[in-house]
Amino acid sequence: MANSNSKLTMRVATALDQPVAEEIRQAAFEPVFASFKSILGNEIYELAQAKEDQAQGNMLNELLAANSEWELYLAEYEGAPVGFLSLKLDATSNVGEIGLNAIHPNRAGIGLGTEMYEFALERMRESGMKVATVATGGDPSHEPARSAYRKAGFDTEIPSVWMCKLLAE
C-alpha cells in the first residue's frame, strides 16, 4: 500500500526480512539507548535498563513468529527497505496498537514515519478497530517519534515518568 503522493510502500514482512529489519532497528535505536544511558548515568543504566535495550533485538524474531499476535510490515522507499512497523488488532476490545517500529536514521525527518503510522491507522480502521494506541518515550531522543505520531493524528496523551534511584550498599 502506498499514498498516491509517496514512494513509500508497506508490505507484510517475512522471515527473510529479519536481517534488514534488525539493521534498521539497531541504527534507529542506537541514539535512544545512548539517551537513556546519558540520562540515567552508567551505573543505573547498566543495572536497570541495559538488559531491556539488549532484549529488544529478540522482539523482531518474536514478531515474525508464526504464532505471533502481531502483524509486522516492512516499509520500502523507492524500492529500498527503510523501516518496519508492528501492529496488533484486538477484535475483542476493538483497540489497535502500534508496537515496535522504526525508520532508518538516514531516511528520518522526511515524513516516512508519519506515513507508516497513517498506514497502520488505515489497517486498524479496515479491521474494525475503534481506538488506536501507541506508547513512546518522553525523553529527547523520542521527540521525532512523538512528532510523527502527532502528525498522524494521535492527539490524546497520558504522560508517564519512570524514576530511578541508585541504592547505596
Side-chain angles (χ1 to χ4, degrees):
M1 291 184 178
N3 174 328
S4 61
N5 297 325
S6 174
K7 296 177 184 168
L8 183 77
T9 58
M10 300 292 292
R11 66 170 176 79
V12 174
T14 70
L16 296 174
D17 297 313
Q18 194 280 341
V20 72
E22 175 60 16
E23 179 184 319
I24 292 166
R25 184 200 67 77
Q26 286 179 7
F29 281 93
E30 183 179 333
V32 172
F33 299 154
S35 174
F36 290 170
K37 191 171 189 176
S38 173
I39 292 166
L40 295 171
N42 289 338
E43 192 169 5
I44 291 176
Y45 177 81
E46 291 302 326
L47 293 168
Q49 185 63 38
K51 288 183 182 106
E52 292 293 318
D53 294 352
Q54 292 165 358
Q56 187 193 69
N58 295 328
M59 290 179 71
L60 282 174
N61 292 332
E62 294 168 11
L63 293 169
L64 284 164
N67 62 346
S68 176
E69 58 189 0
W70 292 84
E71 297 176 3
L72 184 65
Y73 295 90
L74 191 70
E76 296 176 329
Y77 182 71
E78 298 179 339
V82 296
F84 66 87
L85 173 129
S86 64
L87 64 98
K88 182 167 55 171
L89 307 169
D90 186 328
T92 303
S93 66
N94 290 322
V95 174
E97 177 182 356
I98 295 175
L100 183 64
N101 69 89
I103 289 286
H104 196 286
N106 68 8
R107 291 295 190 181
I110 61 171
L112 300 179
T114 301
E115 287 189 55
M116 278 196 335
Y117 308 136
E118 289 170 350
F119 165 84
L121 294 171
E122 184 57 31
R123 176 79 183 96
M124 290 177 194
R125 283 185 201 96
E126 290 171 355
S127 299
M129 300 297 106
K130 302 295 182 199
V131 176
T133 66
V134 64
T136 191
D139 65 300
S141 70
H142 280 90
E143 178 52 40
R146 291 190 304 274
S147 177
Y149 296 136
R150 290 176 184 132
K151 285 178 188 173
F154 286 88
D155 58 1
T156 304
E157 301 178 21
I158 297 176
S160 178
V161 176
W162 186 55
M163 300 171 75
C164 299
K165 176 177 178 33
L166 189 60
L167 302 175
E169 293 190 20

